[in-house]
Amino acid sequence: MKNLLQLQTSLFSNEGQSSRLAGDFVAAWRSLNPAGRVTVRDLASDPVPHLTAERFGAFLAKPDARTVAQQRVVSESDALIDELRQADTIVIGLPMYNFGVPSTLKAYFDHIARAGVTFRYTGKGAEGLLKGKKAYVFATRGGLHAGTPLDTQTAYVRDFLRFVGIDDVQFIYAEGLAMGEKQRDSALARAGTEIRAIAHGIAEPAPMAA
Ligand SMILES: Cc1cc2nc3c(=O)[nH]c(=O)nc-3n(C[C@H](O)[C@H](O)[C@H](O)COP(=O)(O)O)c2cc1C
């Protein structure tokens, strides 16, 4: 069964512009995969705590030496990782807040980066352990940043996902959403066209080159 995990990070939950674009994609995916499962994790209404020394210490403690409190922290992290591991498609709504990613997404990433669980170091460097997944990232911004040094989000999210093994990542941007109605409408319309094109590509994959 196909399995999609949608990570919502907008402060405004379902009402966010990033959530709406992601939701449009998920609706198209559902119609292509009627038997598929969709899980929505809303990091605004159900935030993951900040990583602290105590919480990180729990990750490092040997399983048979964990305190009850440490085991609780590890179990929370394990549940997030299991949810992600089960998904073959990951959809992330990614608003830009104060030149970065929402802090809720950072906290989530801090809880799924686990040595020996989602990545490991080998003689050749880091190896991500969550393989065979495709991620779609719906990035919405008030200004225009894609392709400029101010877009720190794209490299960060791409690098992090690659670190845990998710290296097939597609970004869909809607930018300039605070720059007047005309710019906003055309950015959202462009993103909508892109979503339909992606859905079309999923429905009819391009033939393999000979
Ligand atoms: C607290 C806050 C901070 C923001 N900071 C930025 C920013 O640094 N750069 C930018 O281009 N837009 C910024 N914006 C605009 C948002 O990126 C834009 O409205 C985006 O569509 C929000 O997505 P959402 O509706 O899914 O939350 C900010 C908006 C908020 C609410």
Side-chain angles (χ1 to χ4, degrees):
M1 184 176 59
K2 298 256 187 196
N3 198 332
L4 182 150
L5 173 63
Q6 181 180 357
L7 298 173
Q8 244 169 222
T9 72
S10 171
L11 294 177
F12 311 109
S13 292
N14 291 335
E15 299 307 312
Q17 287 166 310
S18 57
S19 313
R20 287 201 194 139
L21 287 180
D24 289 347
F25 174 80
V26 172
W29 186 93
R30 271 186 208 274
S31 64
L32 293 169
N33 299 284
R37 189 167 78 192
V38 172
T39 304
V40 180
R41 175 162 292 281
D42 188 323
L43 295 171
S45 63
D46 186 15
V48 175
H50 280 141
L51 190 60
T52 59
E54 285 74 22
R55 296 182 78 83
F56 187 61
F59 296 163
L60 299 181
K62 295 243 173 335
D64 53 2
R66 286 175 194 149
T67 64
V68 172
Q70 285 177 325
Q71 185 53 51
R72 196 171 52 241
V73 170
V74 172
S75 298
E76 286 169 17
S77 163
D78 284 347
L80 295 174
I81 291 169
D82 283 346
E83 182 180 73
L84 184 57
R85 192 180 280 122
Q86 281 170 33
D88 40 69
T89 301
I90 296 137
V91 173
I92 303 178
L94 183 72
M96 180 179 281
Y97 293 147
N98 301 316
F99 296 96
V101 302
S103 55
T104 50
L105 183 65
K106 178 70 169 71
Y108 173 85
F109 281 173
D110 286 341
H111 281 75
I112 60 163
R114 294 258 311 279
V117 182
T118 54
F119 72 89
R120 68 176 166 216
Y121 276 99
T122 69
K124 292 184 191 141
E127 181 192 3
L129 300 177
L130 300 174
K131 302 241 168 88
K133 302 182 190 306
K134 167 96 195 186
Y136 299 92
V137 180
F138 293 86
T140 59
R141 288 100 184 250
L144 301 172
H145 307 299
T148 80
L150 289 182
D151 181 7
T152 56
Q153 291 184 301
T154 300
Y156 168 66
V157 171
R158 192 186 292 285
D159 290 345
F160 179 82
L161 293 177
R162 187 186 295 132
F163 181 65
V164 295
I166 303 168
D167 50 15
D168 188 357
V169 184
Q170 184 166 356
F171 285 80
I172 299 90
Y173 298 93
E175 292 201 296
L177 300 182
M179 294 170 60
E181 215 171 302
K182 199 162 151 230
Q183 165 66 29
R184 186 195 64 210
D185 291 351
S186 80
L188 292 175
R190 246 194 330 273
T193 304
E194 226 177 307
I195 289 168
R196 284 188 293 281
I198 295 168
H200 184 75
I202 293 172
E204 293 174 24
M208 296 286 276

mmCIF file of all heavy atoms in Angstrom, residues 120-154:
data_model
loop_
_atom_site.group_PDB
_atom_site.id
_atom_site.type_symbol
_atom_site.label_atom_id
_atom_site.label_comp_id
_atom_site.label_asym_id
_atom_site.label_seq_id
_atom_site.Cartn_x
_atom_site.Cartn_y
_atom_site.Cartn_z
ATOM 1 N N ARG A 120 24.262 6.587 9.719
ATOM 2 C CA ARG A 120 25.433 6.012 10.386
ATOM 3 C C ARG A 120 26.673 6.519 9.675
ATOM 4 O O ARG A 120 26.607 6.924 8.504
ATOM 5 C CB ARG A 120 25.387 4.486 10.381
ATOM 6 C CG ARG A 120 25.536 3.891 9.018
ATOM 7 C CD ARG A 120 25.592 2.374 9.065
ATOM 8 N NE ARG A 120 25.409 1.853 7.719
ATOM 9 C CZ ARG A 120 24.752 0.747 7.417
ATOM 10 N NH1 ARG A 120 24.185 0.023 8.351
ATOM 11 N NH2 ARG A 120 24.650 0.346 6.169
ATOM 12 N N TYR A 121 27.774 6.508 10.391
ATOM 13 C CA TYR A 121 29.037 6.901 9.773
ATOM 14 C C TYR A 121 29.804 5.657 9.380
ATOM 15 O O TYR A 121 29.890 4.697 10.142
ATOM 16 C CB TYR A 121 29.867 7.782 10.727
ATOM 17 C CG TYR A 121 29.436 9.224 10.631
ATOM 18 C CD1 TYR A 121 28.564 9.785 11.556
ATOM 19 C CD2 TYR A 121 29.855 10.009 9.564
ATOM 20 C CE1 TYR A 121 28.136 11.097 11.440
ATOM 21 C CE2 TYR A 121 29.432 11.319 9.433
ATOM 22 C CZ TYR A 121 28.574 11.851 10.376
ATOM 23 O OH TYR A 121 28.156 13.149 10.229
ATOM 24 N N THR A 122 30.323 5.675 8.150
ATOM 25 C CA THR A 122 31.129 4.563 7.662
ATOM 26 C C THR A 122 32.499 5.148 7.299
ATOM 27 O O THR A 122 32.704 6.358 7.406
ATOM 28 C CB THR A 122 30.501 3.958 6.388
ATOM 29 O OG1 THR A 122 30.639 4.920 5.332
ATOM 30 C CG2 THR A 122 29.039 3.618 6.587
ATOM 31 N N GLY A 123 33.400 4.293 6.829
ATOM 32 C CA GLY A 123 34.717 4.759 6.391
ATOM 33 C C GLY A 123 34.604 5.776 5.271
ATOM 34 O O GLY A 123 35.512 6.582 5.045
ATOM 35 N N LYS A 124 33.463 5.747 4.561
ATOM 36 C CA LYS A 124 33.281 6.672 3.428
ATOM 37 C C LYS A 124 32.484 7.906 3.816
ATOM 38 O O LYS A 124 32.096 8.702 2.966
ATOM 39 C CB LYS A 124 32.562 5.950 2.291
ATOM 40 C CG LYS A 124 33.405 4.858 1.660
ATOM 41 C CD LYS A 124 32.637 4.260 0.478
ATOM 42 C CE LYS A 124 33.325 3.000 -0.012
ATOM 43 N NZ LYS A 124 32.384 1.962 -0.402
ATOM 44 N N GLY A 125 32.158 8.055 5.092
ATOM 45 C CA GLY A 125 31.376 9.227 5.528
ATOM 46 C C GLY A 125 29.992 8.809 5.993
ATOM 47 O O GLY A 125 29.755 7.634 6.284
ATOM 48 N N ALA A 126 29.087 9.790 6.026
ATOM 49 C CA ALA A 126 27.742 9.533 6.555
ATOM 50 C C ALA A 126 26.902 8.772 5.531
ATOM 51 O O ALA A 126 27.011 9.013 4.328
ATOM 52 C CB ALA A 126 27.067 10.844 6.907
ATOM 53 N N GLU A 127 26.088 7.869 6.027
ATOM 54 C CA GLU A 127 25.156 7.143 5.161
ATOM 55 C C GLU A 127 23.750 7.252 5.752
ATOM 56 O O GLU A 127 23.535 6.900 6.918
ATOM 57 C CB GLU A 127 25.573 5.662 5.099
ATOM 58 C CG GLU A 127 24.654 4.856 4.202
ATOM 59 C CD GLU A 127 24.873 3.346 4.354
ATOM 60 O OE1 GLU A 127 25.690 2.919 5.196
ATOM 61 O OE2 GLU A 127 24.174 2.613 3.641
ATOM 62 N N GLY A 128 22.820 7.762 4.949
ATOM 63 C CA GLY A 128 21.437 7.865 5.404
ATOM 64 C C GLY A 128 20.772 6.504 5.336
ATOM 65 O O GLY A 128 21.032 5.723 4.415
ATOM 66 N N LEU A 129 19.905 6.217 6.286
ATOM 67 C CA LEU A 129 19.316 4.876 6.377
ATOM 68 C C LEU A 129 17.842 4.836 5.972
ATOM 69 O O LEU A 129 17.216 3.784 6.018
ATOM 70 C CB LEU A 129 19.504 4.328 7.796
ATOM 71 C CG LEU A 129 20.979 4.211 8.242
ATOM 72 C CD1 LEU A 129 21.077 3.742 9.686
ATOM 73 C CD2 LEU A 129 21.749 3.265 7.329
ATOM 74 N N LEU A 130 17.263 5.997 5.632
ATOM 75 C CA LEU A 130 15.858 6.007 5.192
ATOM 76 C C LEU A 130 15.859 6.083 3.667
ATOM 77 O O LEU A 130 15.925 7.171 3.113
ATOM 78 C CB LEU A 130 15.111 7.208 5.784
ATOM 79 C CG LEU A 130 15.054 7.290 7.307
ATOM 80 C CD1 LEU A 130 14.416 8.605 7.753
ATOM 81 C CD2 LEU A 130 14.271 6.101 7.881
ATOM 82 N N LYS A 131 15.803 4.938 3.046
ATOM 83 C CA LYS A 131 16.004 4.923 1.589
ATOM 84 C C LYS A 131 14.687 4.725 0.840
ATOM 85 O O LYS A 131 13.686 4.324 1.418
ATOM 86 C CB LYS A 131 16.958 3.782 1.241
ATOM 87 C CG LYS A 131 18.315 3.883 1.945
ATOM 88 C CD LYS A 131 19.453 3.992 0.953
ATOM 89 C CE LYS A 131 20.754 4.380 1.616
ATOM 90 N NZ LYS A 131 21.536 3.254 2.104
ATOM 91 N N GLY A 132 14.739 5.007 -0.460
ATOM 92 C CA GLY A 132 13.615 4.677 -1.342
ATOM 93 C C GLY A 132 12.405 5.578 -1.176
ATOM 94 O O GLY A 132 11.278 5.138 -1.377
ATOM 95 N N LYS A 133 12.634 6.838 -0.793
ATOM 96 C CA LYS A 133 11.499 7.740 -0.590
ATOM 97 C C LYS A 133 11.596 8.932 -1.541
ATOM 98 O O LYS A 133 12.682 9.291 -1.980
ATOM 99 C CB LYS A 133 11.488 8.266 0.846
ATOM 100 C CG LYS A 133 11.424 7.139 1.857
ATOM 101 C CD LYS A 133 11.357 7.662 3.259
ATOM 102 C CE LYS A 133 11.528 6.541 4.255
ATOM 103 N NZ LYS A 133 10.610 5.405 4.077
ATOM 104 N N LYS A 134 10.440 9.527 -1.806
ATOM 105 C CA LYS A 134 10.403 10.746 -2.607
ATOM 106 C C LYS A 134 9.770 11.842 -1.758
ATOM 107 O O LYS A 134 8.726 11.624 -1.129
ATOM 108 C CB LYS A 134 9.559 10.496 -3.868
ATOM 109 C CG LYS A 134 9.174 11.727 -4.635
ATOM 110 C CD LYS A 134 10.099 12.019 -5.783
ATOM 111 C CE LYS A 134 9.911 13.437 -6.309
ATOM 112 N NZ LYS A 134 10.669 13.761 -7.487
ATOM 113 N N ALA A 135 10.401 12.997 -1.733
ATOM 114 C CA ALA A 135 9.847 14.117 -0.947
ATOM 115 C C ALA A 135 9.479 15.278 -1.865
ATOM 116 O O ALA A 135 10.198 15.576 -2.833
ATOM 117 C CB ALA A 135 10.861 14.567 0.107
ATOM 118 N N TYR A 136 8.366 15.915 -1.543
ATOM 119 C CA TYR A 136 7.922 17.132 -2.236
ATOM 120 C C TYR A 136 7.838 18.229 -1.185
ATOM 121 O O TYR A 136 7.200 18.042 -0.140
ATOM 122 C CB TYR A 136 6.544 16.931 -2.868
ATOM 123 C CG TYR A 136 6.507 15.837 -3.908
ATOM 124 C CD1 TYR A 136 6.183 14.527 -3.551
ATOM 125 C CD2 TYR A 136 6.798 16.104 -5.248
ATOM 126 C CE1 TYR A 136 6.147 13.511 -4.500
ATOM 127 C CE2 TYR A 136 6.764 15.094 -6.204
ATOM 128 C CZ TYR A 136 6.443 13.801 -5.827
ATOM 129 O OH TYR A 136 6.413 12.801 -6.767
ATOM 130 N N VAL A 137 8.467 19.366 -1.471
ATOM 131 C CA VAL A 137 8.509 20.452 -0.487
ATOM 132 C C VAL A 137 7.814 21.669 -1.086
ATOM 133 O O VAL A 137 8.221 22.159 -2.156
ATOM 134 C CB VAL A 137 9.969 20.798 -0.117
ATOM 135 C CG1 VAL A 137 10.003 21.924 0.910
ATOM 136 C CG2 VAL A 137 10.711 19.559 0.407
ATOM 137 N N PHE A 138 6.778 22.146 -0.408
ATOM 138 C CA PHE A 138 6.003 23.291 -0.886
ATOM 139 C C PHE A 138 6.449 24.529 -0.115
ATOM 140 O O PHE A 138 6.057 24.736 1.038
ATOM 141 C CB PHE A 138 4.501 23.002 -0.744
ATOM 142 C CG PHE A 138 4.093 21.898 -1.671
ATOM 143 C CD1 PHE A 138 4.201 20.565 -1.292
ATOM 144 C CD2 PHE A 138 3.698 22.185 -2.968
ATOM 145 C CE1 PHE A 138 3.893 19.540 -2.174
ATOM 146 C CE2 PHE A 138 3.385 21.170 -3.868
ATOM 147 C CZ PHE A 138 3.493 19.843 -3.468
ATOM 148 N N ALA A 139 7.315 25.314 -0.766
ATOM 149 C CA ALA A 139 7.970 26.441 -0.100
ATOM 150 C C ALA A 139 7.243 27.733 -0.448
ATOM 151 O O ALA A 139 7.147 28.104 -1.626
ATOM 152 C CB ALA A 139 9.428 26.520 -0.546
ATOM 153 N N THR A 140 6.713 28.407 0.573
ATOM 154 C CA THR A 140 6.002 29.670 0.335
ATOM 155 C C THR A 140 6.727 30.795 1.072
ATOM 156 O O THR A 140 7.199 30.629 2.193
ATOM 157 C CB THR A 140 4.531 29.600 0.798
ATOM 158 O OG1 THR A 140 4.485 29.292 2.200
ATOM 159 C CG2 THR A 140 3.749 28.534 0.048
ATOM 160 N N ARG A 141 6.802 31.919 0.393
ATOM 161 C CA ARG A 141 7.531 33.067 0.949
ATOM 162 C C ARG A 141 6.796 34.373 0.636
ATOM 163 O O ARG A 141 6.203 34.509 -0.423
ATOM 164 C CB ARG A 141 8.924 33.189 0.299
ATOM 165 C CG ARG A 141 9.943 32.137 0.694
ATOM 166 C CD ARG A 141 10.074 31.052 -0.332
ATOM 167 N NE ARG A 141 10.987 29.999 0.104
ATOM 168 C CZ ARG A 141 12.189 29.796 -0.441
ATOM 169 N NH1 ARG A 141 12.615 30.551 -1.439
ATOM 170 N NH2 ARG A 141 12.953 28.831 0.012
ATOM 171 N N GLY A 142 6.963 35.333 1.543
ATOM 172 C CA GLY A 142 6.417 36.665 1.292
ATOM 173 C C GLY A 142 7.216 37.391 0.228
ATOM 174 O O GLY A 142 6.686 38.148 -0.575
ATOM 175 N N GLY A 143 8.539 37.175 0.221
ATOM 176 C CA GLY A 143 9.428 37.838 -0.739
ATOM 177 C C GLY A 143 9.907 36.870 -1.804
ATOM 178 O O GLY A 143 9.384 35.753 -1.937
ATOM 179 N N LEU A 144 10.930 37.335 -2.555
ATOM 180 C CA LEU A 144 11.488 36.521 -3.646
ATOM 181 C C LEU A 144 12.904 36.121 -3.251
ATOM 182 O O LEU A 144 13.784 36.982 -3.175
ATOM 183 C CB LEU A 144 11.527 37.342 -4.947
ATOM 184 C CG LEU A 144 10.192 37.885 -5.460
ATOM 185 C CD1 LEU A 144 10.427 38.841 -6.642
ATOM 186 C CD2 LEU A 144 9.271 36.750 -5.890
ATOM 187 N N HIS A 145 13.127 34.870 -2.983
ATOM 188 C CA HIS A 145 14.443 34.439 -2.478
ATOM 189 C C HIS A 145 15.062 33.272 -3.225
ATOM 190 O O HIS A 145 16.277 33.066 -3.098
ATOM 191 C CB HIS A 145 14.334 34.040 -1.000
ATOM 192 C CG HIS A 145 13.707 35.082 -0.140
ATOM 193 N ND1 HIS A 145 14.247 36.337 0.025
ATOM 194 C CD2 HIS A 145 12.573 35.075 0.591
ATOM 195 C CE1 HIS A 145 13.470 37.050 0.835
ATOM 196 N NE2 HIS A 145 12.444 36.300 1.191
ATOM 197 N N ALA A 146 14.258 32.503 -3.939
ATOM 198 C CA ALA A 146 14.804 31.277 -4.576
ATOM 199 C C ALA A 146 15.981 31.642 -5.472
ATOM 200 O O ALA A 146 15.934 32.618 -6.222
ATOM 201 C CB ALA A 146 13.714 30.583 -5.393
ATOM 202 N N GLY A 147 17.045 30.878 -5.358
ATOM 203 C CA GLY A 147 18.220 31.111 -6.201
ATOM 204 C C GLY A 147 19.116 32.223 -5.699
ATOM 205 O O GLY A 147 20.093 32.580 -6.366
ATOM 206 N N THR A 148 18.811 32.811 -4.540
ATOM 207 C CA THR A 148 19.661 33.865 -3.980
ATOM 208 C C THR A 148 20.246 33.367 -2.651
ATOM 209 O O THR A 148 19.736 32.411 -2.065
ATOM 210 C CB THR A 148 18.878 35.174 -3.704
ATOM 211 O OG1 THR A 148 18.159 35.003 -2.453
ATOM 212 C CG2 THR A 148 17.893 35.500 -4.816
ATOM 213 N N PRO A 149 21.294 34.050 -2.159
ATOM 214 C CA PRO A 149 21.889 33.611 -0.883
ATOM 215 C C PRO A 149 20.908 33.692 0.286
ATOM 216 O O PRO A 149 21.141 33.078 1.338
ATOM 217 C CB PRO A 149 23.048 34.592 -0.683
ATOM 218 C CG PRO A 149 23.348 35.124 -2.048
ATOM 219 C CD PRO A 149 22.048 35.142 -2.791
ATOM 220 N N LEU A 150 19.817 34.435 0.138
ATOM 221 C CA LEU A 150 18.850 34.512 1.242
ATOM 222 C C LEU A 150 17.991 33.250 1.361
ATOM 223 O O LEU A 150 17.311 33.053 2.363
ATOM 224 C CB LEU A 150 17.941 35.728 1.063
ATOM 225 C CG LEU A 150 18.619 37.070 1.293
ATOM 226 C CD1 LEU A 150 17.610 38.206 1.139
ATOM 227 C CD2 LEU A 150 19.257 37.133 2.674
ATOM 228 N N ASP A 151 18.045 32.418 0.338
ATOM 229 C CA ASP A 151 17.272 31.167 0.428
ATOM 230 C C ASP A 151 18.116 30.105 1.126
ATOM 231 O O ASP A 151 18.685 29.219 0.489
ATOM 232 C CB ASP A 151 16.833 30.692 -0.958
ATOM 233 C CG ASP A 151 16.017 29.405 -0.851
ATOM 234 O OD1 ASP A 151 15.708 28.985 0.288
ATOM 235 O OD2 ASP A 151 15.698 28.815 -1.902
ATOM 236 N N THR A 152 18.173 30.190 2.434
ATOM 237 C CA THR A 152 18.916 29.192 3.207
ATOM 238 C C THR A 152 18.075 27.932 3.409
ATOM 239 O O THR A 152 18.601 26.886 3.779
ATOM 240 C CB THR A 152 19.266 29.757 4.593
ATOM 241 O OG1 THR A 152 18.053 30.170 5.219
ATOM 242 C CG2 THR A 152 20.206 30.943 4.485
ATOM 243 N N GLN A 153 16.774 28.049 3.171
ATOM 244 C CA GLN A 153 15.876 26.918 3.449
ATOM 245 C C GLN A 153 16.128 25.733 2.521
ATOM 246 O O GLN A 153 16.145 24.590 2.963
ATOM 247 C CB GLN A 153 14.422 27.351 3.248
ATOM 248 C CG GLN A 153 13.909 28.327 4.250
ATOM 249 C CD GLN A 153 12.443 28.593 3.980
ATOM 250 O OE1 GLN A 153 12.067 29.037 2.889
ATOM 251 N NE2 GLN A 153 11.600 28.305 4.942
ATOM 252 N N THR A 154 16.288 26.054 1.218
ATOM 253 C CA THR A 154 16.362 24.966 0.237
ATOM 254 C C THR A 154 17.559 24.067 0.523
ATOM 255 O O THR A 154 17.428 22.843 0.598
ATOM 256 C CB THR A 154 16.434 25.546 -1.196
ATOM 257 O OG1 THR A 154 15.252 26.326 -1.419
ATOM 258 C CG2 THR A 154 16.524 24.444 -2.239
#
